[in-house]
Amino acid sequence: MLEKMGTAIRRSVPLVEVVSYDHLNTVHAISDYFTTDDETSRPIFSWDLRTGIRPENKTATEQWNPNHVIVNTIETLDYIASSVEPAEVGGLPGMQPRAIVCMVHAELILDSHYEQYQELIVTLSRMREVLKQKQVMLVLIVDDHIIPHSLQTDFLLLEETLPTDEGIEAIVEAQYLSANFPQPTAQAKNAVVTGCRGLLCDFQIEQLVALSMDRGIQGVNPETIRDYRRAAINNIPGLTLEKNECTFSQVGGMENIKDYFRLLMDGKEPP
């Protein structure tokens, strides 16, 4: 997702929608990715309905007046799209060129019941060329793709990727360190990674691993993770994952299939 955003910035794509399951983590990831130690560093800002615009990295902080608090959505978009610099717009200086502005929980303002919805859609449709000239990118972070059809040709639609195995391993190691437990063996770590694979965001994994820590075994209890995954599956209508005490050796009448799976799992490249 970040690589695609980097390509979009180089192509002067001004409007992006990102589907994310952890909005704040996405903002931090964007800030880390586009913050450098030289002049190529981009000012990163975030915005939400409660606190308004705030800087997310050093480059943005150096250019930001803490007395400038804008919460109103339309005023915020006018401020971001202002092509007048450094003259004031509505009492505030225009957004600096090359900035990236992340609107957190943008689904709240893209709801047709939102009081400024119609004005918001018109404003967004007029921002594309202005932002492109200023090299400013507006990122709407949402729970699901909800850009209206009339704006979909103006936006680049992206989705936050699921945590990788390497990312899960780093979280597991950090949780062991935080609990003052000895680092897990490769086998134990792989068991935890397998159990957490497919979870939606880093925070969800952190919480699950932390809750699965067992001081008795000085590590993660795999059964706790399995119970969580089982409960998550059982919570989906139409799906049930039963907890059965039956072992593989007790399954009868399927010797050929059992032999096949034994050979498969004990082979050189088990799945």
Side-chain angles (χ1 to χ4, degrees), residues 142-183:
V142 296
D143 292 335
D144 199 1
H145 287 303
I146 54 173
I147 292 295
H149 291 293
S150 59
L151 294 177
Q152 286 187 359
T153 56
D154 296 326
F155 275 81
L156 172 66
L157 308 181
L158 300 176
E159 291 188 9
E160 181 73 275
T161 56
L162 294 177
T164 62
D165 285 359
E166 292 77 13
I168 298 175
E169 286 185 6
I171 292 172
V172 172
E173 292 171 357
Q175 289 297 321
Y176 270 78
L177 184 63
S178 177
N180 292 321
F181 289 169
Q183 285 298 311

Side-chain angles (χ1 to χ4, degrees), residues 45-47 51-55 60-61 63-72 75-76 79 86-96:
F45 296 89
S46 62
W47 177 91
T51 58
I53 293 181
R54 58 182 180 273
T61 302
Q63 302 177 2
W64 181 245
N65 185 335
N67 296 320
H68 294 167
V69 179
I70 323 172
V71 176
N72 180 278
E75 290 180 3
T76 299
Y79 168 73
E88 294 188 348
V89 178
L92 299 171
M95 177 61 70
Q96 294 82 3

Side-chain angles (χ1 to χ4, degrees), residues 149-250:
H149 291 293
S150 59
L151 294 177
Q152 286 187 359
T153 56
D154 296 326
F155 275 81
L156 172 66
L157 308 181
L158 300 176
E159 291 188 9
E160 181 73 275
T161 56
L162 294 177
T164 62
D165 285 359
E166 292 77 13
I168 298 175
E169 286 185 6
I171 292 172
V172 172
E173 292 171 357
Q175 289 297 321
Y176 270 78
L177 184 63
S178 177
N180 292 321
F181 289 169
Q183 285 298 311
T185 63
Q187 183 178 2
K189 187 188 301 182
N190 183 63
V192 178
V193 170
T194 301
C196 294
R197 191 177 291 140
L199 295 182
L200 300 177
C201 62
D202 290 353
F203 181 74
Q204 188 179 20
I205 296 171
E206 288 174 2
Q207 293 293 96
L208 178 57
V209 173
L211 292 172
S212 302
M213 287 290 186
D214 188 331
R215 292 202 173 274
I217 62 175
Q218 290 285 290
V220 172
N221 186 341
E223 190 61 31
T224 304
I225 293 181
R226 283 193 288 269
D227 287 342
Y228 173 87
R229 299 304 296 266
R230 186 181 296 108
I233 293 173
N234 291 340
N235 195 42
I236 300 174
L239 296 181
T240 301
L241 183 61
E242 295 183 358
K243 187 174 182 180
N244 199 315
E245 301 298 332
C246 180
T247 64
F248 188 65
S249 61
Q250 293 173 329

Side-chain angles (χ1 to χ4, degrees), residues 12-33:
S12 298
V13 175
L15 299 172
V16 177
E17 181 199 47
V18 175
V19 173
S20 170
Y21 299 102
D22 188 341
H23 293 205
L24 294 180
N25 186 66
T26 298
V27 172
H28 295 155
I30 292 172
S31 178
D32 291 343
Y33 188 82

Side-chain angles (χ1 to χ4, degrees), residues 248 254-266:
F248 188 65
M254 298 183 179
E255 295 306 319
N256 289 337
I257 295 177
K258 290 165 65 175
D259 288 342
Y260 168 76
F261 281 114
R262 285 194 190 95
L263 292 172
L264 179 65
M265 298 306 297
D266 294 336

